[in-house]
Amino acid sequence: MPNLTEFRVKPIGVIHTPFTDKAQTPIQATRSDAAGAVDVEPAYADGLQDLEGFSHIILIYLFHQSEGYSLRVKPFLDDRLRGLFATRYPARPNPIGLSVVRLTARKGIRLEIEGVDMLDGTPLLDIKPYVAEFDVRTGTRTGWYENRSVR
Amino acid sequence: MPNLTEFRVKPIGVIHTPFTDKAQTPIQATRSDAAGAVDVEPAYADGLQDLEGFSHIILIYLFHQSEGYSLRVKPFLDDRLRGLFATRYPARPNPIGLSVVRLTARKGIRLEIEGVDMLDGTPLLDIKPYVAEFDVRTGTRTGWYENRSVR
């Protein structure tokens, strides 16, 4: 199998949120009203132009407080063991997180955001604009999630 | 600024698609009907359980043929320079791609998928289930994309 060599990623900024304790961090951005901010490294400032035209952005980041992983986990919203890749559980072989947040303002290299569900100090890897035409799927089946034990 | 040290990621599998030429690769999964497959490393097989209950999955992968980046780029669907992070352009500081694809079958460690928009041999970093309740946003503003030059 090709291409299984290691790659390096380097954070381009940091995500600030009110959450310093995993147990009090919201499960998923859609379950959060909390405000936060992204501080992007000044070297990347020019790359932020035009972002303010978008109401929502996708943040790709590191679950920096996750160590190790299990291939079968109990999701936060269920009480049965599930395959890790069928969950959004943070401890993963590559601990990469993904959240869609509201972008309320851009002030230079600072992005003001709402609906944060990550820990304070989370290292940011990438920002992408959320584009409904690319990112919305309807009529989806969601397996165990539809019959989960926790609502 | 904390947490700006490098991290290592290691592919967990590879994505097979019909596309070997960047110029003929679809722009975004929603513009593709092409079938492909994901081969996950056998070591991660147990993590794939329950995935078949989901009709759509999020693939997180490396844009392995991107080298370097510019902070202002012309998106594929526009003719003006835009801030890189306001685009889905593949050449990025961390060349991490994100596509939502249809999962049509799981056969052991092979996932059969549809709607692929990445190059053949793309290194896979993570698989997450697509959950409308987490991933769908409605009433979004999409900046330059709404007034783009190419439809």
Side-chain angles (χ1 to χ4, degrees):
Chain A
M1 191 177 287
N3 289 317
L4 291 183
T5 48
E6 287 191 343
F7 289 79
R8 286 181 191 172
V9 295
K10 189 179 173 190
I12 61 166
V14 66
I15 308 174
H16 302 289
T17 78
F19 309 114
T20 53
D21 178 358
K22 288 182 199 181
Q24 298 192 331
T25 303
I27 298 164
Q28 294 298 325
T30 43
R31 292 168 173 249
S32 169
D33 287 323
V38 175
D39 281 332
V40 177
E41 275 284 278
Y44 302 112
D46 285 351
L48 299 174
Q49 284 183 355
D50 304 299
L51 197 60
E52 58 277 3
F54 293 82
S55 61
H56 292 72
I57 56 177
I58 302 171
L59 301 179
I60 295 179
Y61 53 85
L62 287 165
F63 289 119
H64 63 304
Q65 293 202 14
S66 286
E67 278 180 45
Y69 62 89
S70 301
L71 289 173
R72 303 193 70 214
V73 298
K74 255 183 221 173
F76 294 118
L77 300 173
D78 201 13
D79 57 7
R80 287 181 53 187
L81 285 171
R82 305 292 182 181
L84 175 61
F85 297 115
T87 78
R88 305 285 278 256
Y89 205 76
R92 315 177 76 81
N94 292 302
I96 296 176
L98 162 70
S99 296
V100 182
V101 299
R102 289 185 293 284
L103 176 62
T104 55
R106 177 168 79 86
K107 295 177 178 171
I109 56 170
R110 167 159 281 215
L111 309 178
E112 295 180 355
I113 57 178
E114 282 180 3
V116 295
D117 64 337
M118 63 291 282
L119 286 168
D120 189 41
T122 289
L124 178 70
L125 294 181
D126 198 13
I127 303 167
K128 299 183 194 291
Y130 184 86
V131 178
E133 196 178 309
F134 303 159
D135 298 311
V136 171
R137 298 296 186 287
T138 55
T140 54
R141 272 186 304 112
T142 53
W144 66 262
Y145 185 80
E146 290 168 21
N147 304 305
R148 67 194 181 277
S149 60
V150 184
R151 294 282 151 174
Chain B
M1 190 176 287
N3 290 316
L4 291 184
T5 49
E6 287 191 342
F7 289 79
R8 285 181 192 174
V9 295
K10 188 178 174 190
I12 61 166
V14 67
I15 308 173
H16 302 290
T17 78
F19 309 115
T20 54
D21 178 356
K22 288 182 199 180
Q24 297 191 331
T25 303
I27 298 163
Q28 295 297 325
T30 43
R31 292 168 173 251
S32 169
D33 288 322
V38 174
D39 281 332
V40 177
E41 275 283 278
Y44 303 112
D46 285 351
L48 298 174
Q49 283 184 355
D50 304 299
L51 197 60
E52 58 277 4
F54 293 82
S55 61
H56 291 72
I57 56 177
I58 302 171
L59 301 179
I60 296 179
Y61 52 86
L62 286 166
F63 289 120
H64 63 305
Q65 292 202 13
S66 285
E67 278 181 44
Y69 61 89
S70 301
L71 289 173
R72 304 193 69 216
V73 298
K74 255 182 222 173
F76 295 118
L77 299 173
D78 202 14
D79 57 7
R80 288 180 52 186
L81 285 170
R82 305 292 182 182
L84 175 62
F85 297 115
T87 79
R88 305 284 279 257
Y89 205 78
R92 317 177 74 82
N94 292 303
I96 296 176
L98 162 71
S99 296
V100 181
V101 299
R102 289 185 293 285
L103 176 63
T104 55
R106 177 168 80 84
K107 296 178 178 170
I109 56 169
R110 166 158 282 214
L111 309 177
E112 295 179 355
I113 57 178
E114 283 179 3
V116 295
D117 65 338
M118 63 290 282
L119 287 167
D120 188 41
T122 290
L124 177 70
L125 296 180
D126 198 12
I127 304 167
K128 299 182 195 292
Y130 184 86
V131 178
E133 195 178 311
F134 303 159
D135 299 310
V136 171
R137 298 296 187 286
T138 54
T140 54
R141 273 187 303 113
T142 52
W144 66 262
Y145 185 80
E146 291 169 20
N147 304 304
R148 67 195 181 277
S149 59
V150 184
R151 294 281 152 175

